[in-house]
Amino acid sequence: MSYSTADSLRHVTLDDVRGAQKMLTGVARVTAMEGSRHLSAQVGAPVHLKCENLQRTGSFKLRGAYVRIAGLLPEERAAGVVAASAGNHAQGVALASSLLGVHATVFMPKGAPLPKISATREYGAEVRLHGQVVDETLAAAQEYAAETGAVFIHPFDHPDVIAGQGTVGLEILDQCPEVGTIVVGIGGGGLAAGIAVAVKSLRPDVRIVGVQAAGAAAYPPSLAAGHPVTVQNPVTMADGIRVGRPGDVPFAIIEELVDEVRTVGEDQLSAALLLCLERAKLVVEPAGASPVAALLGDPGAFVGPVVAVLSGGNVDPVLMQRVLRHGMAAQGRYLAVRLRLTDRPGALATLLGVLSVVDANVLDVSHVRTDPRLGLTEAEVELHLETKGPAHCIEVGQALREAGYTVIG
């Protein structure tokens, strides 16, 4: 399966996806399908998690990258390939190229997480750091392709890539033949488009729901307009789906075959990531947790059995720490407060005694005595507390106020 530029808008077929599945035999894992009792109870129907976070390279991206590169002509392979990515696509292209004996150059933003840069190099690619944002990195990769003749491997806007990603859909039908709804995150749209082609061709009754981060949701306005629309400066912690414009090829498929596209907020993404870690014992990146966020946000809207596609698990440890804290705060399990007290011996111990009575666990204390905003006898304290839920947060605040403290944040 190799397409020229003139074929770039060609519609992907079930035969393409089946051909990709044969090509990926022995290359991509048939990832596990895990049931979730917690989500099933909330949705009121069986919920299964399709664990592409356990795929080789940590995401589904290997599937499409391998099929695209394997389909190149001999002279194209000899010229090498080039890609631009902040993480998952970079690793997929790197491993696929290594397996096929093709030289790969991958451009990554200078601020890309170090674990992702290291992994891409270890998979065999030459990594070049360029630009601060992916758009700058993408431009550099395309310029490199024009100068060297290397084939640019797009992360989602090519039929071969979409066919490769569509093999996830075939696996879902095999592992959960009775599936009623498939929920999948959408960035550029390659994964959702591929799944839609595979599933709707065989089971047109299955409902397919795409999920975007609210701060990077290009599909809703694009679908309303009938053509891809660019969202300026997309912002979300879910870098795997932080794409400002839908791809032309996946957009045409999603417009035709995907039943609905929903959006989720940052609090919902954090809570979903935390749930995957605590309840399913799965490390999932924010983009991969977006289908779970959609289920948590409106559990009654999905016809079961439901399959939520966990598209990736490549999360930077620093981001994981921030996201987990954010998720705990969203669930009322983490509380940060600032307050002022009289600066005298034993004042801090008295404050901590109040918190002990209401069973709030103190994680961190910052005690400031010298600040122009403070009076001569005042001190400011910032506390980070582990709490037991929204009701407990309210109880903690009331206890502090009843003890005479002024809570300022």
Side-chain angles (χ1 to χ4, degrees):
M1 288 185 293
S2 181
Y3 303 100
S4 66
T5 303
D7 296 321
S8 62
L9 291 179
R10 178 189 180 280
H11 202 84
V12 183
T13 68
L14 176 61
D15 286 342
D16 294 329
V17 180
R18 283 176 166 160
Q21 187 176 47
K22 291 180 181 178
M23 192 179 293
L24 288 167
T25 301
V27 175
R29 295 171 180 155
V30 176
T31 51
M33 181 88 76
E34 299 286 345
S36 172
R37 285 186 292 179
H38 180 77
L39 287 172
S40 297
Q42 296 214 19
V43 172
V47 175
H48 306 280
L49 306 175
K50 177 60 172 168
C51 300
E52 281 297 289
N53 59 312
L54 303 180
Q55 184 56 261
R56 297 178 70 180
T57 75
S59 88
F60 71 96
K61 289 288 189 176
L62 171 65
R63 297 173 183 263
Y66 187 90
V67 173
R68 173 75 172 104
I69 297 169
L72 296 177
L73 300 173
E75 57 269 26
E76 291 175 320
R77 289 197 191 192
V81 299
V82 60
S85 168
N88 288 347
H89 181 58
Q91 293 172 69
V93 169
L95 179 56
S97 299
S98 178
L99 293 172
L100 292 164
V102 177
H103 178 74
T105 302
V106 177
F107 285 77
M108 303 182 75
K110 293 179 180 178
L114 291 178
K116 294 185 178 182
I117 295 173
S118 297
T120 303
R121 285 184 172 137
E122 289 172 8
Y123 286 129
E126 175 188 348
V127 175
R128 299 193 180 191
L129 302 179
H130 184 94
Q132 300 299 325
V133 296
V134 174
D135 286 344
E136 295 173 355
T137 308
L138 181 63
Q142 291 173 325
E143 182 179 344
Y144 177 88
E147 291 174 353
T148 66
V151 179
F152 179 68
I153 306 299
H154 200 285
F156 50 81
D157 206 12
H158 193 280
D160 285 356
V161 173
I162 293 170
Q165 321 304 28
T167 59
V168 175
L170 294 181
E171 290 178 17
I172 289 172
L173 292 181
D174 182 56
Q175 294 169 314
C176 184
E178 70 280 12
V179 60
T181 304
I182 297 173
V183 190
V184 56
I186 297 181
L191 177 61
I195 289 175
V197 168
V199 173
K200 290 290 191 178
S201 297
L202 297 169
R203 285 279 311 282
D205 58 303
V206 174
R207 185 170 177 80
I208 298 179
V209 178
V211 183
Q212 292 209 285
Y219 265 88
S222 297
L223 292 169
H227 59 82
V229 172
T230 300
V231 172
Q232 299 297 330
N233 301 317
V235 178
T236 175
M237 71 176 77
D239 57 345
I241 53 175
R242 189 173 60 217
V243 177
R245 182 186 185 278
D248 292 324
V249 184
F251 175 80
I253 296 171
I254 287 172
E255 184 180 38
E256 178 184 350
L257 298 179
V258 171
D259 296 282
E260 180 186 4
V261 175
R262 290 174 167 252
T263 61
V264 293
E266 301 299 285
D267 285 352
Q268 291 171 304
L269 287 168
S270 297
L273 188 149
L274 186 60
L275 184 145
C276 289
L277 187 63
E278 287 190 324
R279 296 302 185 101
K281 313 305 181 216
L282 292 169
V283 175
V284 183
E285 62 189 90
S290 59
V292 174
L295 294 179
L296 292 174
D298 191 6
F302 301 91
V303 176
V306 178
V307 173
V309 181
L310 307 182
S311 59
N314 292 319
V315 57
D316 180 44
V318 176
L319 175 63
M320 172 71 88
Q321 185 179 36
R322 295 206 314 266
V323 170
L324 289 179
R325 182 167 289 186
H326 190 85
M328 290 177 69
Q331 292 185 352
R333 295 167 55 191
Y334 178 87
L335 180 64
V337 295
R338 284 190 304 123
L339 48 83
R340 290 182 183 174
L341 45 75
T342 302
D343 187 15
R344 64 173 183 268
L348 182 58
T350 301
L351 169 62
L352 296 179
V354 173
L355 295 172
S356 176
V357 170
V358 291
D359 203 22
N361 186 32
V362 179
L363 301 175
D364 190 31
V365 178
S366 175
H367 195 192
V368 178
R369 288 187 174 90
T370 55
D371 190 295
R373 297 171 300 151
L374 299 175
L376 188 63
T377 60
E378 286 184 320
E380 185 173 289
V381 175
E382 182 174 348
L383 298 158
H384 293 203
L385 310 172
E386 184 180 5
T387 48
K388 301 175 182 178
H392 191 210
C393 290
I394 294 171
E395 181 186 355
V396 170
Q398 288 176 338
L400 290 171
R401 284 187 288 271
E402 289 172 2
Y405 295 102
T406 302
V407 179
I408 58 177

